[in-house]
Amino acid sequence: MAADERERTRHPAGATATGRPRKNRLDQPREPRRSLLPSYDPDAFGKLSERVARFLGTGRFIVWMTVIIIVWVLWNVFAPRNFQFDHYPFIFLTLMLSLQASYAAPLILLAQNRQDDRDRVNLEQDRKQNERNIADTEYLTREVAALRMGLGEVATRDWIRSELQDLVKEIDEQRHRAERRNERHGQDRHGDQRRPRSDEGDGRGR
């Protein structure tokens, strides 16, 4: 009986069974794995490599390296024997230059890779921007063509002017015709009025 009670307290059943710890839970982030390798920030290391590569590609670095090598050689040749630290053939100097070259080459390659990545991103953005510009240009071209087609059916200022001039000419012609008709009717009336007077004169004479 005591053994059963102990088992129940260790492994509770029902709703309390969910409280047992699980190794891999989906509702919780996984703990970072411990690694023996040192961790570093790739972005910060890349920026440092770019700075170093930029400095190695300047004339200042060449001048300083030349001055250091000349001073190194002159010191180890003309300085007192007790103060010389790298005798001929300057093995320590050769080792330092080899070490500098072995570190400079990977740093320069890393900086070039980062620059290539930036160039690739810039080219992709430029390509997308060019595609958008081309699409906008094609859209504007279609809109301008549609406007031209629409304006072809709309009365323009020259067409309205020509129609008004024709209308004015027709009105003038009709007015001249009306004046001529009025003149003719006036002449006919005057002729009719003269004829009765002449008839009356003839009657009196008789």
Side-chain angles (χ1 to χ4, degrees):
M1 296 292 291
D4 294 338
E5 290 179 358
R6 289 176 183 175
E7 289 293 332
R8 289 176 182 175
T9 54
R10 289 180 181 176
H11 302 286
T16 59
T18 58
R20 289 180 294 179
R22 297 176 60 183
K23 292 183 178 180
N24 297 325
R25 297 191 59 172
L26 298 177
D27 59 344
Q28 293 181 359
R30 183 179 295 179
E31 295 181 358
R33 296 180 180 179
R34 295 181 179 179
S35 178
L36 298 177
L37 298 176
S39 60
Y40 65 95
D41 187 5
D43 192 13
F45 190 76
K47 291 180 180 179
L48 178 62
S49 66
E50 288 179 349
R51 291 178 182 177
V52 174
R54 192 177 295 111
F55 176 71
L56 292 177
T58 59
R60 184 184 299 177
F61 170 74
I62 296 174
V63 172
W64 279 107
M65 188 175 66
T66 303
V67 171
I68 290 172
I69 292 173
I70 292 173
V71 172
W72 188 296
V73 172
L74 293 177
W75 179 268
N76 289 285
V77 170
F78 297 104
R81 189 72 177 179
N82 297 329
F83 294 99
Q84 295 179 3
F85 56 88
D86 188 16
H87 301 287
Y88 184 82
F90 311 114
I91 297 175
F92 187 58
L93 177 61
T94 304
L95 178 63
M96 293 297 294
L97 293 176
S98 300
L99 185 65
Q100 180 265 333
S102 63
Y103 273 97
L107 291 175
I108 293 172
L109 291 175
L110 180 59
Q112 289 179 353
N113 291 333
R114 285 174 59 86
Q115 185 64 36
D116 292 338
D117 294 337
R118 282 196 296 268
D119 293 339
R120 191 179 300 107
V121 172
N122 292 331
L123 288 175
E124 185 68 21
Q125 292 178 354
D126 293 339
R127 185 181 64 81
K128 292 180 179 179
Q129 184 65 32
N130 291 332
E131 291 178 355
R132 287 194 293 269
N133 292 334
I134 291 172
D136 294 339
T137 304
E138 292 177 353
Y139 173 76
L140 292 175
T141 303
R142 290 194 296 269
E143 290 296 323
V144 170
L147 289 174
R148 287 181 177 177
M149 293 175 65
L151 290 174
E153 300 176 357
V154 177
T156 59
R157 184 177 62 183
D158 296 334
W159 183 81
I160 293 173
R161 183 180 297 172
S162 62
E163 292 293 327
L164 290 175
Q165 289 177 355
D166 295 337
L167 183 60
V168 169
K169 289 180 180 178
E170 291 180 359
I171 293 172
D172 292 337
E173 291 178 357
Q174 291 179 0
R175 187 179 62 185
H176 289 306
R177 289 175 184 176
E179 290 177 355
R180 291 175 183 175
R181 289 176 183 175
N182 293 330
E183 290 178 356
R184 290 177 183 176
H185 286 297
Q187 291 176 359
D188 293 338
R189 288 177 183 177
H190 288 297
D192 293 337
Q193 290 177 358
R194 290 175 181 176
R195 286 177 184 176
R197 288 179 182 177
S198 60
D199 294 337
E200 290 177 358
D202 294 337
R204 291 176 182 177
R206 288 177 183 178

